[in-house]
Amino acid sequence: MSEQVNNKSLPPSFGPDVHVIETLLSRNLPEVFGEGDAARRRAAIAELYTEDCVLYAPPGILVGHNALDRFAGDLRATHPHYVYTAHGAPQALLNSGRLAWGSGPQGEAPAYTGVDFIIARDGKIAALYVYLDTPPA
C-alpha cells in the first residue's frame, strides 16, 4: 500500500542535524573555496571536514585535508577576484545536503555555476560532490 505525500507539507530540510548541515554548506563556499588566505582556509578545512574527507570534483577524486587545501588554493589562485554566491538556501536531508552556487566577479553575473552535495559525519563534511553546470573559464 502506497502513501501519498503532500509536497506542500514537506519542509525544505529534514533530519536531526538540519542546522549543522546547512551551516556546513553555507560556510564551505566562502571559508574554503572563496578564501585566499592559506592559513584561514586550512583552519576552516580542519573545522568543517573530517580528516579522511573525500572530494569528488572535476578533475577527479581527492582524499584528505592536504589534497582539499591544494585543490581549493589552486582554484582560488586561478580566479582570485571571484566570489562564491549561494543560489537559494542550503537544503539538508538526514546526513546529506546540497547548495546551488555561482562564482564570478562580485556584483556581476556568475562566470560559472554548480551544486555542492555533501555527506556529513560527526558534524563535519565527510564527502563533497561538486557538480558543475558550466566549467570555469
Side-chain angles (χ1 to χ4, degrees), residues 7-137:
N7 287 338
K8 292 181 182 184
S9 68
L10 293 176
S13 290
F14 172 80
D17 295 326
V18 165
H19 179 69
V20 170
I21 291 171
E22 290 175 344
T23 299
L24 290 169
L25 285 162
S26 295
R27 290 184 59 197
N28 184 55
L29 284 176
E31 294 180 33
V32 175
F33 290 93
E35 181 55 65
D37 181 271
R40 285 195 302 256
R41 182 178 50 252
R42 281 192 296 273
I45 288 169
E47 187 176 341
L48 300 175
Y49 283 84
T50 62
E51 287 191 33
D52 62 344
C53 64
V54 181
L55 169 66
Y56 299 91
I61 301 169
L62 303 167
V63 179
H65 286 183
N66 290 337
L68 174 60
D69 180 43
R70 244 185 335 274
F71 178 81
D74 290 349
L75 181 61
R76 187 82 206 132
T78 64
H79 301 94
H81 62 290
Y82 278 21
V83 296
Y84 286 90
T85 305
H87 291 177
Q91 184 179 18
L93 178 61
L94 301 174
N95 70 328
S96 69
R98 67 179 181 168
L99 178 64
W101 51 264
S103 183
Q106 189 163 1
E108 296 182 21
Y112 63 100
T113 61
V115 175
D116 286 351
F117 177 85
I118 66 167
I119 302 293
R121 183 177 75 234
D122 299 327
K124 293 187 175 192
I125 299 170
L128 169 62
Y129 297 79
V130 178
Y131 294 87
L132 295 177
D133 300 320
T134 52

